[in-house]
Amino acid sequence: MQTPRSSLEQWRVLQAVIDYGGFAKAAEQLHRSQSSVSYSVAKLQQQLGVELLVMKGRKACLTQKGETLLRRSRELLNEAISLENLANSMEQGWEPDISLVVDAAFPVHLLMEALKHFTPHSRGTRVQLNEVILSGAEQALEEGWADLVIGVHVPKGYLGDLIVEIEFVAVASPEHPLHQLGRGLRSDDLRQQVQVVIGDSGNVRPMEWGWLGEQRWTVSSIDKAVTTVCHGLGFSWLPRHQIETELVEGRLKPLPLSEGQCFKADLYQVFGHPERIGPATRKLAEILMEVSHQQ
Amino acid sequence: MQTPRSSLEQWRVLQAVIDYGGFAKAAEQLHRSQSSVSYSVAKLQQQLGVELLVMKGRKACLTQKGETLLRRSRELLNEAISLENLANSMEQGWEPDISLVVDAAFPVHLLMEALKHFTPHSRGTRVQLNEVILSGAEQALEEGWADLVIGVHVPKGYLGDLIVEIEFVAVASPEHPLHQLGRGLRSDDLRQQVQVVIGDSGNVRPMEWGWLGEQRWTVSSIDKAVTTVCHGLGFSWLPRHQIETELVEGRLKPLPLSEGQCFKADLYQVFGHPERIGPATRKLAEILMEVSHQQ
DNA sequence: ACCACATATCTAAATTTTAGATAATTATAC
DNA sequence: GTATAATTATCTAAAATTTAGATATGTGGT
């Protein structure tokens, strides 16, 4: 293990010179003298053996190498700040890691949005994300390693709130026989066709979403279900948000059911065991809830 | 933008205390005095406001928080070292980034193995990986943004070497009609069935792998082809290494072709434009070649 | 040519870090 | 239980580093 020659301070100064547009302005922002800034930058360059800045006229400009190194040094500084934030936060009972378990039916864009909003509040806490299908969520809770779970129901003994309604649409490929009948469909019609269902990622007690058909194809992910149905192999109830493009591009078409063409499934946000959850988990839960309700 | 209070030096000392088993031993390894080590650790703790070490008897032991923070500080130190390595390497003409473009048929485990071996030699260089299908590789070369490409052929004007032979096997689901005939199959038999082919990710000049069938389903990834064929929708030539589990578990079965049941495709490693490639790219290429040939 | 602006350099002061000596604490041997 | 070895904490002075302030050097605009 080697020891770094440069220091975070030095990189910080370099960043300030660029961000505030000069040695003097950086000095002011950093509450140091201009000569101190000059010294730091010079020493950093000398230690690295790389020319980071070059004087163009009377303006200090980054070299090509300087630009690359500055970009990466920003990541380094962020990680350092994050480490210190974590130290400080843990003193106040913040968790260093959150295990977030999310049912695959939960819209990915909401998840991303929530995580983006969470980062500035994270104070160094990291989120470990697990995607599960159906009872996998409950299993994560019962095995005790999940801090926060988004799943299809709230198991007995846990605290949970409705977070989002997912609309499931019955769809098939436009070439599928069900689309050739030219009339409204009843459940009898469906019963004679292959239904594609998504298998359960847990193994406690298998559950299934679709319930009608006699003939079933079970696939292991929503993506695979979409592919399968697109290929005309059967019909399925799929989350609308997962098949937007396929609907627009005509690879999937909603079935003209006379009743129950789509149904809503509720997803709930559930907290893990009380002794595991702390303020970071609660903050993340709050943000997930906000993001999901405003859209 | 805030400035970190702790320094890389301090974290380095903490690591040494743990790794070498004590303040005195750490001091020796770091060529410092024991009091200096003691001072550094004490100051780090004071600055963070966190107790990192606790004396158990006469042994310094990490607290729970200390353990978490130490773990993350190692990542921080590694990133810092990597940054300095990059600075040093760029002086010697090393590239800060390599754009590696790989055809989806290339075995992932070889890629992972190669990248693992490359890391210790990377000197801070980062690899940006792009997966493409068929002509996407050539396109990346011609658009000039790829440093190293693994694809199905060597375009005119480029330098390339054979890196690996991929075995393609004709397969279908065990329930597929082609498996019900109970005899060896000729190309006539295949012509009457749906062939699943993988679409081209480039758009310069479309190419396709399979050539026989009249009826085709084009999918956009090897994974989707596998799923599709598993569902009995057709047959396909698929890379053997991609369907090992499906063959073992019986979801796919090789077709009993009287001739040409499998064919080999060569994958070539091709260098990008000479002005882009540097020593890091050459090193990565060398490792990819080694890894691919020894397995 | 001159002035305003910006960085480099020089020197001394201020600050931080280090080493060495010693104190304090604890496990181990007798 | 006491001596002893092992280990960290603390104290002080020395060493090293970093800072500020003054000034030199260099550039662009008028």
Side-chain angles (χ1 to χ4, degrees), chain A residues 1-3 5-6 12 15 49-50 65 72 75 79 81 84 87 91 96 124 126 219 228 231 233, chain B residues 1-3 5-6 12 15 49-50 65 72 75-76 79 81 84 87 91 96 124 126 219 228 231 233:
Chain A
M1 163 89 62
Q2 32 182 345
T3 304
R5 309 178 102 47
S6 59
R12 172 71 190 96
Q15 288 177 24
V50 174
K65 289 168 193 165
R72 293 221 186 160
E75 298 174 24
E79 200 173 325
I81 298 282
E84 293 183 5
E91 277 305 288
R126 287 186 184 171
V219 295
T228 306
H231 286 140
L233 192 62
Chain B
M1 165 87 63
Q2 33 184 341
T3 303
R5 301 194 45 60
S6 60
R12 172 71 190 100
Q15 288 176 25
V50 174
K65 289 168 193 164
R72 294 222 184 160
E75 299 173 23
L76 184 68
E79 199 172 325
I81 298 281
E84 295 183 4
E91 277 305 288
R126 288 186 183 171
V219 296
T228 306
H231 287 140
L233 192 60

